[in-house]
Amino acid sequence: MTQMPGTARCARAVLVVVATSSAVAVAWLTAAAATLETGALGALVLGILLLAAIASAALAITSFTIAAKFTHGSNKTRTGAAVVGWITILVGTIAVLTNHPIGATGAAAGTLLTALSTRQDTRDWFDRPRVLPLPR
C-alpha cells in the first residue's frame, strides 16, 4: 500500500479540526480568565478556567502531533488517534449534559475519529511494512 486510504485521510482531517477547535478554546478560555473580575469565588473560577485551558492546549498539541505522524507513523499513532477520539467523545458528552450548544458537535467529531481510526483500511495502513531508505 503506497497511498494513504481515504479513511486514514479523513481521520487525519478530523484530528486537525479537533486540534484547531481546541486551540480556539484555549484562546477563548484564556481571554475569559484575563477579563474575569474577582469576587467571592473569583480565584476558584479563574483556576477552573486556566485548568480547562491547559487541558485544551494539551489536546490541541497531541492532536496536531498525531496528525503530523499519520504518513509515517506506526500502529501507536493509530491508537493515539483513537484515544483522542474517545477523549473528544467524553468532553463532548459532558458539554451536552451541561447544555453547552457545541457539545454535540464535539461528541460527533470524536465518534467519527474513533470509527475512522479503528477501520480495517486504517489498520492496514499503519501495519504496512516500512521501506528503509537506501544508504548513500
Side-chain angles (χ1 to χ4, degrees):
M1 182 180 295
T2 58
Q3 186 177 6
M4 190 184 307
T7 55
R9 281 183 279 167
C10 288
R12 186 180 191 186
V14 172
L15 270 171
V16 170
V17 168
V18 167
T20 304
S21 62
S22 295
V24 169
V26 168
W28 182 76
L29 288 166
T30 306
T35 59
L36 182 72
E37 292 183 20
T38 57
L41 295 175
L44 178 65
V45 173
L46 180 66
I48 291 172
L49 286 173
L50 292 178
L51 184 64
I54 290 170
S56 294
L59 184 63
I61 291 168
T62 303
S63 297
F64 275 132
T65 303
I66 291 172
K69 291 185 175 195
F70 249 65
T71 53
H72 302 294
S74 65
N75 203 24
K76 291 180 182 178
T77 304
R78 185 188 64 82
T79 305
V83 168
V84 167
W86 279 108
I87 291 170
T88 308
I89 290 170
L90 179 67
V91 170
T93 304
I94 291 170
V96 166
L97 293 175
T98 59
N99 294 325
H100 196 277
I102 201 75
T105 307
T111 304
L112 183 62
L113 179 58
T114 303
L116 290 171
S117 298
T118 56
R119 295 272 315 225
Q120 188 62 41
D121 297 353
T122 309
R123 285 183 187 165
D124 293 342
W125 171 254
F126 287 106
D127 288 338
R128 74 190 187 287
R130 305 290 189 250
V131 178
L132 298 174
L134 295 172
R136 292 183 182 195

